[in-house]
Amino acid sequence: MKKSLIILIFFFGIILVAKAQELSHPRIGVGFQSSFPSFGLSGKYDFTEKHTIQAVLGFSGPFTSIYGRYLYNFEEKGDSFVYKPYLLGQIGTYSYKYQTFDGQGRPINERENHIGFGLGAGLEFHVPEITEAVRLNIELGFNQVGFEFYDYSGFLIGIGGHYYFNLK
């Protein structure tokens, strides 16, 4: 909980000091991404208006993950509230730490590592009057990771936020 609060305070602090800039392509975004039950640091690279790749280093309690995403972006729309729908596909490695007990009742620390994937759709948005550089996103979809003791499949529900920099 403390980590989440610190990340949110830091992110919204960036919003307050972000300078208005006209973004172009290619560009890089740094921030955070959450896809239940994991969240972590994220980096995005927008090749063009339509194509984006994203890497996420997730950490949350017993879960850790490293996954990559491809986002297919549709056209941005709006004036005072700008939004951009997208489709996403992700694949990565997911780890789950848990504790079991041996025959004598002594605790044993275990770890499962599996490849997982997900498909979904999202919406990235920003308010140009505040800043062009800070953009938030929400997403829904389906994910699947084959843990033996924890069912990590079902709906992908995510939020994120990134600060973008021009590369040119």
Side-chain angles (χ1 to χ4, degrees):
M1 181 68 177
K2 288 181 184 180
K3 282 184 193 177
S4 305
L5 186 59
I6 290 169
I7 290 171
L8 286 174
I9 289 170
F10 176 73
F11 186 73
F12 287 109
I14 289 174
I15 291 174
L16 295 175
V17 298
K19 295 181 181 175
Q21 64 173 318
E22 190 70 31
L23 290 174
S24 62
H25 293 88
R27 62 185 177 206
I28 291 179
V30 294
F32 71 93
Q33 184 68 47
S34 171
S35 293
F36 179 78
S38 183
F39 66 89
L41 302 175
S42 168
K44 284 183 166 183
Y45 180 66
D46 291 347
F47 290 99
T48 66
E49 292 178 14
K50 296 246 185 245
H51 305 286
T52 301
I53 58 171
Q54 180 179 17
V56 180
L57 175 59
F59 50 89
S60 125
F63 296 100
T64 56
S65 57
I66 299 173
Y67 56 94
R69 294 173 146 197
Y70 168 75
L71 284 68
Y72 179 82
N73 305 301
F74 295 97
E75 183 180 343
E76 275 191 356
K77 296 182 179 179
D79 294 321
S80 60
F81 179 81
V82 179
Y83 63 93
K84 175 179 65 177
Y86 60 88
L87 298 175
L88 71 91
Q90 71 182 35
I91 188 164
T93 180
Y94 297 80
S95 180
Y96 175 55
K97 292 188 293 187
Y98 60 96
Q99 196 172 63
T100 60
F101 298 94
D102 67 9
Q104 286 76 37
R106 293 181 299 237
I108 301 170
N109 292 323
E110 299 281 347
R111 177 185 298 268
E112 283 189 69
N113 297 306
H114 292 280
I115 301 294
F117 68 91
L119 299 170
L123 191 67
E124 184 179 75
F125 54 92
H126 70 283
V127 178
E129 286 80 23
I130 297 173
T131 179
E132 286 271 330
V134 177
R135 295 166 183 237
L136 304 175
N137 67 290
I138 57 172
E139 50 197 34
L140 294 171
F142 173 80
N143 61 6
Q144 172 68 45
V145 180
F147 291 128
E148 184 177 341
F149 292 108
Y150 183 81
D151 186 17
Y152 187 80
S153 58
F155 287 110
L156 177 149
I157 301 170
I159 62 168
H162 294 83
Y163 183 88
Y164 284 88
F165 301 90
N166 283 323
L167 289 179
K168 291 182 181 181

